[in-house]
């Protein structure tokens, strides 16, 4: 506990601004702080305690006593690590502690700096000098603290200034210092790529050490470097091969395997030499981690070797049969990788994969699902989807949506290339929408509309599925499938000619519970109702020839629903004559049309004054058409005994024009289509915008939540109308001279202002969605169901050909955008590594800090030259142009002796290119001063390995 401070202080350890002696004696420790936090419940009580503790720490940290200050900084470090408290105010105090000669204080200061400092910290430059002092200290622990801090907070300036000190520590006699210096190089290289030219050769020399700790640190650095740019490290393949064969340290071997996984993709000849040692390691090792790394390396990089793949698949099966969940997960992961090239391995273990879908661990279930989806093909997509739907119905909501998402993505891949029966797939989409936990409404909405536009043959089934979704009132209460209902309404209106009963669709669109839908969805419902009404009136009013001309695709109607082919049949149908077959025309009599118009007018009249502009516009369009048709049809009700001439009616003319416009079909459009539309000559897109100044003048529209073009958030609840309230607000905020201008603006553009009528909020209560019966089948039954479906078989002869799917040149929805490549630090590091390995680094830089001996330098050059000569001998045996290549190599070697360090810039630029063509490329290679063509990395790998 902390006692109250006295009014006067006489202690030599305190200052007038610092804590008293009593506060120093009874200062809270880190343990006291942790216990206090744990005693308070999470929430306001805990936050209040932390705030009080911070106030105490702010007073304590100003003390001149380093012990008091170190405890305060230690408590701040704890709060920053676990509670994300900003401790930037204590940055200088942390630097102050690092300069203490007492190791405990120095450790607390370096820990706080490592965890809280960032490149934007102001006092980070003050730490550079202290780091240099500690790096040259005789105390091993001080050196270790400095190296660990550099690895955490290294910046460009710190890396540039401390590279010589880190370089010297790589030859330290203390293994712990040497190991940490090697590990620190990774951070130094990433911040200061020029450090590669100083330290890289000494880093390579550590690959020959027999000490496991040095070897582990060195290989770990190379593993991280290879993951970013592996091509530059191909010349070191012999050293890595030696480690793979001779080393017995599991963690070192794991890192080496990761390196060969990257290098094998660049140099295929490595596989022949490396695959057998990897198999030997996999056979003899008892460590599961090393065995799995061998398996992953083989199935990802050496999958062309059948004997190695079979051995890896056997190890994978052992993982799958383990009781440990972690090992089973790794087995599924390995099976997923090998399945990309060898599907037979997945089929051999399909029973285990199917059973894993019911595992208690979610990660295992997800991996099993990915494996099942990897087996999907044209032949078994129906059976696999049926099995997965069963699992989705009895799974938790999260995994259920994971299953549905995987099915949607797999079936829609490459424009539905694996779907042959689109009627089945559309029915599957409708079934997905009825799953209680479905939350993939956006993707299902897209696919329903996309399939309708691309595949003409599926439109009758699409309308049937849309009708089933629209007619179910329970689905309106599920907000997750509102997007699906929007797509169902759109396809029902766009392809209404395929409907067996259009009046039923109209009733579904106007059922009372549609008030539960958001405005954006109701807009689609109303617009689809407009299409349905236009179709019904067109079928009733227009002669057969006009109907056929307006609806050009009516020939696609399902059998039994065709139009009459003669004017005589049309006349008989209009007079109510019985016909031998049911025609589409027979569905629309004067009475049925009158009932349809009454339904439209009754349902939409309350929405005519909606506060949503989109709803109001479409409602008034539809009401105008319905009222006009009702007036003209009812006026001819007396003439039902004789034939009526509809041609002269306004409704007839209007319906003919509307149906002519709606007969144009929608089709898929490329995402880059707008970019290919040329701008007409003389068109200035911003020219008409200048008129807005004269229209609006000085009127400032209020920024309020009361008005929204898409989704209004304000509804009046009292006698005051919304427009009157808006007028009151504007009268209070606008100047008097703008009132008349605002009134004139309202008069001219009244359509864009909200109406003044009051509309009560509709009831938002709804019933829960349908709860379909869960499928209570055992896992064994589902496995039996999929035994035949998951086996590769020959494609059966289909009874009907696959429907035509409209495809675009660009293909998918998400075109790739070409991004200009920016040279990063990784590119600079790889360029410097090439120069060092090939002996092209500037001598001034290497001698300035490292000062390598002439014997070592000559040995390095001899090693590279020996490798290049062996490479030339290989090319001599493979091609007939060996004489030219040998002469070229010798000429390069001569020029190399006379080259100076000033040409290294051109050499690095040339090395960064993957290809150089013709005489120009050879000329640049000579100017770079390199004895070997750096572009072709294969030439620096000796033949004894390849």
């Amino acid at each position: 506990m902390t006692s109250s401070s006295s009014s006067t202080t006489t202690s030599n350890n305190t200052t007038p601004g610092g804590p008293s002696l009593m506060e120093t004696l009874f200062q809270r420790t880190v343990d006291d702080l942790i216990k206090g936090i744990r005693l308070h419940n999470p929430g306001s009580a805990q936050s209040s305690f932390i705030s009080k503790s911070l106030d105490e720490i702010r007073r304590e940290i100003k003390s001149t006593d380093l012990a008091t200050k170190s405890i305060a900084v230690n408590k701040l470090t704890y709060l920053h690590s676990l509670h994300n408290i900003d401790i930037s105010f204590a940055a200088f105090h942390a630097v102050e502690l690092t300069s203490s000669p007492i190791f405990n204080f120095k450790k607390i200061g370096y820990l706080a700096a490592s965890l809280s400092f960032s490149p934007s910290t102001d006092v980070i430059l003050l730490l550079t000098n202290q780091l240099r002092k500690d790096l040259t200290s005789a105390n091993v622990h001080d050196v270790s603290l400095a190296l660990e801090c550099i690895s955490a907070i290294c910046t460009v300036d710190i890396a540039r200034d401390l590279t010589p000190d880190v370089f010297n520590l790589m030859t330290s006699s203390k293994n712990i210092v040497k190991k940490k210096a090697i590990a620190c190089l990774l951070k130094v290289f990433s911040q200061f790529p020029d450090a590669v030219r100083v330290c890289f050769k000494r880093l390579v020399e550590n690959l020959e050490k027999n000490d496991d700790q040095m070897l582990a640190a060195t290989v770990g650095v190379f593993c991280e470097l290879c993951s970013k740019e592996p091509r530059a490290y191909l010349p070191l393949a012999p050293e890595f091969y030696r480690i793979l064969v001779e080393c017995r340290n599991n963690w070192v071997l794991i890192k080496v395997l990761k390196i060969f996984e990257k290098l094998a993709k660049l140099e295929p000849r490595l596989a022949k030499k490396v695959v057998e040692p990897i198999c030997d390691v996999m056979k003899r090792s008892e460590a599961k981690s090393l065995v799995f790394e061998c398996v992953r390396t083989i199935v990802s990089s050496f999958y062309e070797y059948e004997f190695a793949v079979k051995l890896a698949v056997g190890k994978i099966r052992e993982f799958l049969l383990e009781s440990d969940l972690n090992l089973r997960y790794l087995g599924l992961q390995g099976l997923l990788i090998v399945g990309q090239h060898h599907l037979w391995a997945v089929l051999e273990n399909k029973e285990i994969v199917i059973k894993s879908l019911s595992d208690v661990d979610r990660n295992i279930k997800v991996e099993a699902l990915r494996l099942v989806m990897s087996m999907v093909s044209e032949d078994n997509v129906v059976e696999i989807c049926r099995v997965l739907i069963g699992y989705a119905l009895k799974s938790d909501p999260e995994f259920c949506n994971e299953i549905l998402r995987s099915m949607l993505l797999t079936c829609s891949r490459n424009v539905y290339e694996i779907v042959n029966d689109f009627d089945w797939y559309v029915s599957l989409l409708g079934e997905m929408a009825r799953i209680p936990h479905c939350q993939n409404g956006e993707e299902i909405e897209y696919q329903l509309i996309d399939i309708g536009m691309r595949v003409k043959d599926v439109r009758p089934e699409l309308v049937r599925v849309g009708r089933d979704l629209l007619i179910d009132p329970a689905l309106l209460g599920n907000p997750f499938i509102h997007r699906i209902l929007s797509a169902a309404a759109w396809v029902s209106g766009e392809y209404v000619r395929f409907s067996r009963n259009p009046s039923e669709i109209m009733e579904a669109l106007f059922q009372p519970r549609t008030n539960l839908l958001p405005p954006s969805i109701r807009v689609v419902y109303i617009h689809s109702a407009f299409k349905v009404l236009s179709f019904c009136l067109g079928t009733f009013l227009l002669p057969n020839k006009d109907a056929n001309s307006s609806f050009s695709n009516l020939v696609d109607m399902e059998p039994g629903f065709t139009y009459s082919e003669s004017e005589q049949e049309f006349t008989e149908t209009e007079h109510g004559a019985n016909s031998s077959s049911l025609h589409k025309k027979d569905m629309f009599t004067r009475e049925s049309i009158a009932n349809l118009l009454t339904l439209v007018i009754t349902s939409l009249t309350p929405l005519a004054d909606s506060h949503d502009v989109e709803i109001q516009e479409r409602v008034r369009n539809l009401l105008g058409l319905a009222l006009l048709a009702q007036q003209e049809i009812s006026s001819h009700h007396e003439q039902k005994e004789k034939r009526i001439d509809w041609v002269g009616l306004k409704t007839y003319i209007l319906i003919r024009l509307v149906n002519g416009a709606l007969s144009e079909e929608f089709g898929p459009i490329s995402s880059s289509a707008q970019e290919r539309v040329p701008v007409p000559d003389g068109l200035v897109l911003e020219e008409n915008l200048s008129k807005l100044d004269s229209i609006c003048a000085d009127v400032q529209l209020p920024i309020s939540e009361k008005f929204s073009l898409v989704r209004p958030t304000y509804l009046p609840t009292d006698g005051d109308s919304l427009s009157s309230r808006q007028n009151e607000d504007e009268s209070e905020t606008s100047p008097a001279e703008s009132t008349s201008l605002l009134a004139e603006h309202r008069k001219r553009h009244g359509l864009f202002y909200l109406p003044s009528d009051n509309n009560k909020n509709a009831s938002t209560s709804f019933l829960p969605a349908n709860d379909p019966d869960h499928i209570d089948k055992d896992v064994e039954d589902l496995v039996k169901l999929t035994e035949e479906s998951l086996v590769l078989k020959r494609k059966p002869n289909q009874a009907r050909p696959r429907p035509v799917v409209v495809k675009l040149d660009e293909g998918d929805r998400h075109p790739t955008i070409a991004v200009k490549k920016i040279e990063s630090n990784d590119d600079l590091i790889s360029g410097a590594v090439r120069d060092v390995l090939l002996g092209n680094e500037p001598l001034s830089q290497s001698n300035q800090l490292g000062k390598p001996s002439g014997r070592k330098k000559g040995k390095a050059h001899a090693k590279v030259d020996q490798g290049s000569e062996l490479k030339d001998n290989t090319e001599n045996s493979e091609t007939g142009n060996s004489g030219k290549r040998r002469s070229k190599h010798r000429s390069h070697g001569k020029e190399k002796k006379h080259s100076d360090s000033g040409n290294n810039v051109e050499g690095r630029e040339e090395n960064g290119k993957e290809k150089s063509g013709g005489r120009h490329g050879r000329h640049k290679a000579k100017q770079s001063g390199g004895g070997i063509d750096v572009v072709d990395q294969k030439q620096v790998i000796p033949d004894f390995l390849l």
Side-chain angles (χ1 to χ4, degrees):
M1 297 180 60
T2 304
S3 63
S4 60
S5 61
S6 60
S7 59
T8 60
T9 304
T10 60
S11 174
N12 294 329
N13 295 332
T14 60
T15 61
S20 65
L21 177 62
M22 295 300 294
E23 288 180 336
T24 302
L25 293 176
F26 294 97
Q27 183 184 16
R28 293 178 190 267
T29 63
V30 178
D31 294 338
D32 296 333
L33 178 65
I34 296 173
K35 291 177 182 178
I37 292 176
R38 292 178 178 177
L39 287 176
H40 294 79
N41 295 326
S44 60
Q46 192 177 93
S47 300
S48 177
F49 177 79
I50 293 176
S51 299
K52 293 179 181 178
S53 301
L54 281 174
D55 294 337
E56 294 178 0
I57 294 172
R58 287 178 183 271
R59 294 194 301 267
E60 295 167 358
I61 206 170
K62 298 177 182 178
S63 173
T64 57
D65 182 26
L66 289 181
T68 303
K69 181 172 295 190
S70 64
I71 295 176
V73 173
N74 198 11
K75 290 189 290 185
L76 284 177
T77 305
Y78 172 80
L79 292 175
H80 173 74
S81 302
L82 270 71
H83 300 277
N84 199 24
I85 302 298
D86 183 19
I87 62 172
S88 57
F89 66 91
F92 179 79
H93 301 286
V95 175
E96 187 178 2
L97 286 177
T98 59
S99 62
S100 173
I102 302 176
F103 176 76
N104 288 334
F105 298 163
K106 185 186 293 289
K107 180 176 67 174
I108 293 174
Y110 273 126
L111 178 62
S114 300
L115 295 179
S116 62
F117 280 19
S118 65
S120 61
T121 304
D122 296 333
V123 299
I124 195 171
L125 295 177
L126 301 178
L127 196 62
T128 305
N129 189 38
Q130 183 61 41
L131 287 171
R132 181 180 287 108
K133 289 182 179 180
D134 289 333
L135 288 177
T136 57
S137 173
N139 190 344
V140 176
H141 302 291
D142 292 347
V143 178
S144 298
L145 287 179
L147 288 173
E148 292 172 1
C149 185
I150 293 173
S151 300
I153 65 170
C154 184
T155 61
V156 177
D157 295 331
I158 292 177
R160 182 183 62 249
D161 297 337
L162 300 182
T163 294
D165 303 282
V166 177
F167 175 79
N168 293 331
L169 291 177
M170 294 177 66
T171 58
S172 174
S173 59
K174 307 294 178 55
N175 285 340
I176 185 173
V177 173
K178 189 175 180 180
K179 179 179 64 175
K180 291 186 177 183
I182 292 172
C184 183
L185 286 178
L186 182 63
K187 188 70 173 181
V188 173
F189 287 170
S190 63
Q191 296 294 326
F192 186 57
D194 286 343
V196 174
R197 307 182 185 280
V198 178
C199 306
F200 193 78
K201 282 189 176 180
R202 187 163 291 181
L203 181 65
V204 174
E205 291 175 0
N206 284 280
L207 290 175
E208 302 176 359
K209 303 295 183 181
N210 295 326
D211 186 271
D212 288 342
Q213 293 183 353
M214 297 300 104
L215 195 60
T218 307
V219 173
V221 172
F222 278 111
C223 182
E224 295 298 326
L225 293 175
C226 286
S227 64
K228 299 175 181 178
E229 181 56 44
R231 185 176 296 277
Y233 307 94
L234 275 171
L236 298 176
E239 298 295 336
F240 295 137
Y241 176 80
R242 182 189 60 79
I243 296 173
L244 177 64
V245 175
E246 298 178 0
C247 185
R248 291 297 179 265
N249 187 296
N250 292 338
W251 296 112
V252 173
L253 291 176
I254 288 175
K255 297 294 185 181
V256 171
L257 289 172
K258 291 182 180 294
I259 294 174
F260 275 119
E261 181 184 355
K262 301 293 183 181
L263 299 183
K265 299 176 181 178
L266 303 174
E267 179 53 77
R269 296 178 295 172
L270 279 174
K272 187 181 300 183
K273 189 73 176 179
V274 174
V275 66
E276 292 184 0
I278 294 178
C279 292
D280 294 339
V281 173
M282 185 166 47
K283 292 177 183 178
R284 72 168 184 264
S285 178
E286 298 292 336
K288 298 294 183 180
S289 57
L290 180 57
V291 172
F292 177 74
E293 193 62 37
C294 293
V295 169
R296 197 173 65 85
T297 304
I298 288 176
V299 299
S300 60
S301 300
F302 306 123
Y303 51 84
E304 297 179 354
Y305 294 85
E306 195 70 23
F307 72 94
V309 172
K310 289 183 179 180
L311 180 61
V313 172
K315 294 294 182 179
I316 289 175
R317 187 170 183 85
E318 294 179 6
F319 279 95
L320 294 174
L321 297 177
E322 291 283 348
S323 58
D324 189 356
L325 296 179
N326 295 322
L327 297 179
R328 285 161 56 190
Y329 174 79
L330 293 177
L332 291 172
Q333 213 173 38
L335 200 60
L336 183 65
I337 299 175
V338 73
Q340 299 175 2
H341 304 282
H342 300 279
L343 189 58
W344 58 267
V346 182
L347 296 176
E348 285 184 354
N349 300 277
K350 63 179 182 297
E351 294 85 359
I352 302 176
V353 173
I354 295 297
K355 289 182 180 179
S356 298
L357 289 173
S358 301
D359 199 277
V360 294
D361 188 88
R362 184 182 180 277
N363 293 326
I364 292 179
K365 293 193 293 185
V366 172
E367 290 298 319
L369 176 62
R370 295 174 63 188
L371 274 169
V372 171
M373 300 314 299
S374 67
M375 294 184 285
V376 176
S377 63
E378 296 180 6
D379 304 324
N380 56 23
V381 60
V382 177
E383 293 294 333
I384 291 181
C385 288
R386 184 171 60 180
V387 173
L388 293 179
I389 286 292
Y391 273 101
L393 286 171
K394 62 179 184 179
S395 300
D396 58 278
E398 186 177 3
F399 187 60
C400 171
N401 285 281
E402 190 71 29
I403 292 175
L404 299 181
R405 191 179 304 111
S406 299
M407 295 169 61
L408 291 170
L409 293 179
T410 302
C411 293
S412 63
R413 186 175 54 216
N414 294 336
V415 197
Y416 316 98
E417 65 175 357
I418 65 172
V419 178
N420 290 321
D421 188 355
F422 280 92
D423 290 347
W424 160 80
Y425 186 61
V426 169
S427 301
L428 179 66
L429 294 177
E431 188 176 353
M432 289 182 184
R434 293 181 178 275
I435 294 179
H437 303 307
C438 177
Q439 298 179 8
N440 295 274
E442 185 176 355
E443 182 64 25
I444 296 177
E445 175 198 29
Y446 172 82
Q447 292 193 19
L448 285 173
I449 297 176
D450 187 56
I451 291 174
M453 291 189 296
R454 292 181 185 273
V455 188
K456 293 184 178 181
D457 296 344
V458 79
R459 290 172 182 174
E461 180 65 18
L462 193 62
V463 173
R464 185 195 66 79
V465 172
R467 173 258 181 201
D468 293 342
L469 293 174
L470 293 174
I471 208 171
D472 190 352
L475 298 179
L476 296 171
N478 188 353
F480 294 111
I481 64 171
H482 285 168
R483 300 286 296 269
I484 304 176
L485 296 177
S486 174
W490 188 87
V491 298
S492 299
E494 183 67 22
Y495 310 117
V496 63
R497 59 183 178 274
F498 299 106
S499 174
R500 295 179 179 272
N501 191 351
S503 300
E504 192 176 35
I505 295 179
M506 185 70 78
E507 294 176 359
L509 293 173
F510 289 140
Q511 57 181 305
R513 290 175 59 82
T514 54
N515 57 9
L516 300 175
L517 299 173
S520 58
I521 308 300
R522 299 198 73 180
V523 165
V524 181
Y525 269 57
I526 296 169
H527 192 63
S528 298
F530 181 84
K531 296 178 183 179
V532 175
L533 181 61
S534 301
F535 172 78
C536 296
L537 291 176
T539 307
F540 177 71
L541 297 176
L542 300 182
N544 189 56
K545 57 183 180 179
D546 292 336
N548 289 337
S549 62
S550 298
F551 299 95
S552 58
N553 293 322
L554 288 176
V555 294
D556 298 332
M557 197 78 65
E558 57 267 31
F561 293 91
T562 58
Y563 278 86
S564 305
E565 296 181 357
S566 63
E567 187 68 24
Q568 182 65 27
E569 289 183 9
F570 172 77
T571 305
E572 292 177 357
T573 304
E574 177 152 285
H575 285 280
N578 294 328
S579 124
S580 59
S581 62
L582 180 62
H583 300 288
K584 201 66 139 182
K585 185 74 175 178
D586 298 334
M587 306 176 98
F588 305 110
T589 61
R590 187 180 288 108
E591 181 180 359
S592 63
I593 291 295
N595 294 335
L596 190 63
L597 294 173
T598 302
L599 173 64
V600 173
I601 295 172
T602 304
S603 303
L604 294 183
T605 300
L607 297 176
D609 297 326
S610 173
H611 298 296
D612 191 280
V613 177
E614 298 289 335
I615 292 179
Q616 183 185 128
E617 179 183 4
R618 284 162 175 76
V619 165
R620 295 200 174 188
N621 289 336
L622 185 52
L623 275 178
L625 176 62
L627 289 173
L628 177 63
Q630 186 185 50
Q631 180 182 0
E632 293 189 344
I633 292 177
S634 61
S635 63
H636 293 80
H637 183 68
E638 304 291 337
Q639 307 176 13
K640 60 182 180 179
E641 297 297 333
K642 57 183 179 179
R643 182 175 179 179
I644 302 173
D645 184 15
W646 302 101
V647 177
L649 299 180
K650 294 180 180 180
T651 305
Y652 174 89
I653 300 173
L654 181 60
I655 289 298
R656 186 168 183 176
L657 293 175
V658 170
N659 287 344
L662 295 178
S663 63
E664 296 293 333
E665 293 186 359
F666 286 101
I669 300 177
S670 172
S671 58
S672 60
Q674 185 68 29
E675 300 176 359
R676 298 197 297 266
V677 178
V679 179
D681 297 337
L683 176 63
V684 181
L685 298 178
E686 299 181 357
E687 181 178 1
N688 295 329
L689 297 180
S690 60
K691 297 181 180 180
L692 293 177
D693 297 336
S694 59
I695 295 176
C696 297
D698 297 332
V699 177
Q700 297 180 356
L701 295 179
I703 302 176
S704 173
E705 295 181 355
K706 298 179 181 179
F707 181 77
S708 175
L709 291 176
V710 178
R711 186 172 302 187
T713 57
Y714 175 86
L715 289 176
T717 56
D718 52 9
D720 297 334
S721 64
L722 181 62
S723 59
S724 63
R725 291 192 179 191
Q726 188 174 359
N727 288 334
E728 292 176 2
D729 296 338
E730 291 173 355
S731 63
E732 294 176 359
T733 57
S734 303
E737 54 270 2
S738 64
T739 305
S740 59
L741 185 58
L742 178 60
E744 181 182 357
H745 190 271
R746 286 177 176 274
K747 183 177 179 181
R748 295 175 59 185
H749 306 281
L751 177 62
F752 301 102
Y753 288 88
L754 296 178
S756 59
D757 295 340
N758 291 333
N759 289 332
K760 298 296 181 181
N761 281 332
S763 175
T764 57
S765 59
F766 56 89
L767 298 175
N770 286 341
D771 295 331
D773 296 332
H774 291 283
I775 299 178
D776 298 329
K777 294 184 178 181
D778 295 332
V779 178
E780 290 76 10
D781 297 336
L782 291 172
V783 173
K784 294 179 181 179
L785 178 64
T786 56
E787 283 183 353
E788 297 181 359
S789 62
L790 298 182
V791 177
L792 294 177
K793 55 186 178 181
R794 293 168 56 185
K795 186 175 180 181
N797 295 329
Q798 300 177 1
R800 58 177 180 175
R802 185 175 186 267
V804 177
V805 181
V806 179
K807 297 183 180 180
L808 303 176
D809 295 337
E810 285 76 9
D812 53 12
R813 290 178 275 168
H814 308 287
T816 57
I817 301 176
V819 180
K820 184 179 180 180
K821 185 178 180 181
I822 301 176
E823 188 177 16
S824 62
N825 282 352
D826 297 337
D827 299 329
L828 297 176
I829 293 174
S830 61
V833 169
R834 292 192 189 100
D835 291 343
V836 173
L837 291 177
L838 299 177
N840 297 338
E841 79 283 8
L843 297 178
S844 59
Q845 292 188 8
S846 61
N847 292 331
Q848 180 181 0
L849 300 174
K851 297 181 180 180
S853 61
R855 181 178 57 84
K856 293 183 178 179
K857 182 177 179 181
K859 181 179 179 181
H861 281 287
K863 186 174 181 179
V864 175
D865 293 339
Q866 180 182 4
S868 59
E869 289 175 1
L870 292 172
K871 176 62 187 172
D872 289 333
N873 293 335
T874 304
E875 293 181 350
N876 186 18
S877 60
E878 292 178 355
T879 61
N881 299 326
S882 59
K884 296 181 180 179
R885 297 189 180 182
R886 284 197 302 270
S887 62
K888 184 189 300 184
H889 175 70
R890 292 168 183 169
S891 63
H892 285 185
K894 293 179 181 179
E895 292 178 3
K896 180 178 176 181
K897 297 179 181 179
H898 301 285
S899 62
D900 55 351
S901 60
N903 293 329
N904 284 322
V905 177
E906 296 182 2
R908 287 197 301 272
E909 293 178 354
E910 182 66 17
N911 296 343
K913 300 180 181 179
E914 293 183 1
K915 295 182 179 180
S916 59
R919 185 177 303 170
H920 181 68
R922 291 194 297 270
H923 178 66
K924 283 191 175 182
K926 293 180 180 180
Q927 288 181 348
S928 65
I932 300 174
D933 186 6
V934 182
V935 176
D936 189 4
Q937 292 290 340
K938 300 177 183 178
Q939 296 182 4
V940 296
I941 303 179
D943 286 337
F944 73 86
L945 176 63
L946 304 178

